[in-house]
Amino acid sequence: EADIYQTPRYLVIGTGKKITLECSQTMGHDKMYWYQQDPGMELHLIHYSYGVNSTEKGDLSSESTVSRIRTEHFPLTLESARPSHTSQYLCASRGLIVGGEENYGYTFGSGTRLTVV
Amino acid sequence: SQQGEEDPQALSIQEGENATMNCSYKTSINNLQWYRQNSGRGLVHLILIRSNEREKHSGRLRVTLDTSKKSSSLLITASRAADTASYFCATALGQKLVFGQGTRLTINP
C-alpha cells in the first residue's frame, strides 16, 4: 500500500476559484513530483522538488504553483481555476536509498480528479 | 510523445493468454521502468531494467531492453482479469521520469 496521500480525491469547483491540492508522504522521500494526466493519455510533468525549499517547473507549462516547506508535504495551488485546468493530477515521490541501493522507482498517490465548471 | 511510445495503444486478449507490449524511446537512458494504472487511479511501479541489462523477470512479468534499437517490451504471462489496466513505460532523463502514452490492456474472461 502506497504511503503517499492525495486529497481531495474528487473536486468540482467553479471558474475563478482558488484551490489547493494536497499531497503528503510518510516515507521521508526527498524528491516529489506533480504530473497532469488527461483521461487515457500520457502523464506530463508540471512541477518537481528535490527537497525542502526546492521547486522547479516541469516540461508542461502550468499556471499552478507549488511549495515545499516540509519534506513530507508538496501542495499544488491554482490561484484562479479555469475549465482548461480540468484533468487528473498525480503526485509522486522517490527516495534515494532503499535497502542500501539507490531507488529509481516512483511511488504515486491515487490522484485528484479536478473538474472546473 | 515526449520520449516513450507504447505499441499497441490498446490490446484485448483472453484470460490465460500472454500479453506483450512494446515501448520505444528517443534518447539515451539510465534505466527504463514499467508502471500499471488501474482506471482513474495512480500508477504502480512494476519493474525497472537498467541500461546495462537485457532481460529481467518478476513473477509473471518479463521485461527486455534493446538499447541499440531504443526499445523495450513487457510480457505478462498467463494473464488474469485483474491484469486489466493501462501500462506505461517510463524513461529516466536525469532526475525526471518521462512517460509514454500507455497501452490499454483488457483481459476478457
Side-chain angles (χ1 to χ4, degrees):
Chain A
E1 185 173 332
D3 296 306
I4 182 165
Y5 307 98
Q6 290 186 245
T7 58
R9 183 75 179 88
Y10 300 95
L11 180 62
V12 180
I13 61 168
T15 298
K17 298 291 186 183
K18 176 181 178 179
I19 59 166
T20 296
L21 308 185
E22 302 288 348
C23 176
S24 295
Q25 49 96 4
T26 58
M27 299 170 283
H29 287 173
D30 54 345
K31 294 177 172 52
M32 296 189 73
Y33 308 83
W34 276 103
Y35 286 86
Q36 184 175 342
Q37 183 188 31
D38 292 326
M41 302 297 286
E42 64 194 287
L43 284 73
H44 294 280
L45 180 67
I46 52 175
H47 296 284
Y48 59 100
S49 168
Y50 290 157
V52 171
N53 294 326
S54 154
T55 61
E56 301 287 343
K57 289 191 178 295
D59 303 319
L60 180 68
S61 175
S62 174
E63 294 164 341
S64 58
T65 59
V66 292
S67 62
R68 190 85 184 278
I69 299 173
R70 303 197 317 265
T71 298
E72 62 271 22
H73 196 210
F74 191 39
L76 181 145
T77 298
L78 277 167
E79 291 293 333
S80 180
R82 293 207 298 268
S84 61
H85 295 139
T86 294
S87 189
Q88 175 160 257
Y89 293 84
L90 293 165
C91 182
S93 70
R94 176 168 88 87
L96 269 182
I97 302 294
V98 174
E101 292 187 351
E102 185 168 1
N103 171 48
Y104 293 101
Y106 285 29
T107 302
F108 278 84
S110 295
T112 293
R113 188 170 293 279
L114 173 66
T115 302
V116 184
V117 298
Chain B
S1 174
Q2 299 172 75
Q3 167 72 330
E5 291 188 1
E6 280 94 340
D7 171 58
Q9 290 190 342
L11 178 62
S12 181
I13 61 173
Q14 295 300 120
E15 195 167 14
E17 294 180 340
N18 296 340
T20 299
M21 289 158 273
N22 302 296
C23 168
S24 60
Y25 57 93
K26 298 174 183 174
T27 66
S28 297
I29 59 172
N30 298 324
N31 63 76
L32 185 144
Q33 304 177 33
W34 284 90
Y35 287 79
R36 183 187 74 232
Q37 183 180 35
N38 290 94
S39 181
R41 309 294 294 183
L43 279 73
V44 175
H45 181 257
L46 294 177
I47 193 167
L48 178 152
I49 186 165
R50 301 177 193 275
S51 59
N52 61 354
E53 297 176 312
R54 291 297 168 259
E55 187 171 312
K56 201 163 184 180
H57 298 255
S58 177
R60 293 184 295 113
L61 304 180
R62 172 177 163 248
V63 170
T64 62
L65 179 64
D66 187 335
T67 53
S68 66
K69 295 181 180 179
K70 290 186 168 58
S71 67
S72 174
S73 68
L74 171 67
L75 169 67
I76 303 175
T77 60
S79 63
R80 305 168 182 168
D83 294 330
T84 293
S86 291
Y87 292 82
F88 293 85
C89 70
T91 51
L93 289 177
Q95 297 290 342
K96 296 181 289 183
L97 210 56
V98 179
F99 289 84
Q101 292 180 321
T103 292
R104 174 69 190 166
L105 175 66
T106 302
I107 308 299
N108 302 305

